[in-house]
Amino acid sequence: MSDSLRERAERRVDIKIKFYRNLKAYVIVNAVLVIINWLCTPEFWWVLFPVFFWGIGVFVDFLKAYVLIDNWDSEDFRERKIEEEMMKLRN
């Protein structure tokens, strides 16, 4: 039990680290892109496209790290669903 608890904790920490790395890259790269856009083509703000679409990816990583924690991607969830199906089949 202790090993599986540690594995789950390690998996959750890895997901959070991935989110923070992605967020850091998102902020730095998009800040540079805003500056380039402002200096080269201030009449068309093309930078909004990568900001928006990459932002969706960052938001999904946030959800995985802090909102949807182990809801469907865990052994516990699988076991609960198996028990539910077995109860349905018994009735």
Side-chain angles (χ1 to χ4, degrees):
M1 181 69 176
S2 176
D3 289 335
S4 80
L5 183 62
R6 178 164 176 86
E7 289 171 6
R8 286 180 57 205
E10 287 176 354
R11 203 169 356 121
R12 288 175 66 174
V13 168
D14 290 342
I15 291 170
K16 289 178 182 181
I17 289 171
K18 177 186 173 194
F19 164 68
Y20 284 120
R21 285 183 180 162
N22 195 6
L23 180 63
K24 179 181 172 185
Y26 174 80
V27 170
I28 293 169
V29 170
N30 284 311
V32 171
L33 289 177
V34 166
I35 293 168
I36 291 170
N37 191 170
W38 180 61
L39 293 174
C40 297
T41 57
E43 65 277 355
F44 178 65
W45 284 89
W46 51 263
V47 74
L48 296 177
F49 296 107
V51 166
F52 176 74
F53 290 110
W54 192 355
I56 292 172
V58 171
F59 181 67
V60 168
D61 284 346
F62 168 77
L63 291 176
K64 287 179 184 177
Y66 292 101
V67 177
L68 304 174
I69 301 170
D70 285 341
N71 284 347
W72 67 83
D73 191 26
S74 70
E75 192 63 31
D76 294 338
F77 178 78
R78 183 175 185 275
E79 289 301 320
R80 281 194 314 269
K81 288 300 174 184
I82 290 172
E83 289 296 323
E84 287 176 15
E85 288 300 320
M86 288 172 57
M87 291 301 286
K88 287 179 187 176
L89 291 172
R90 287 183 188 138
N91 292 333

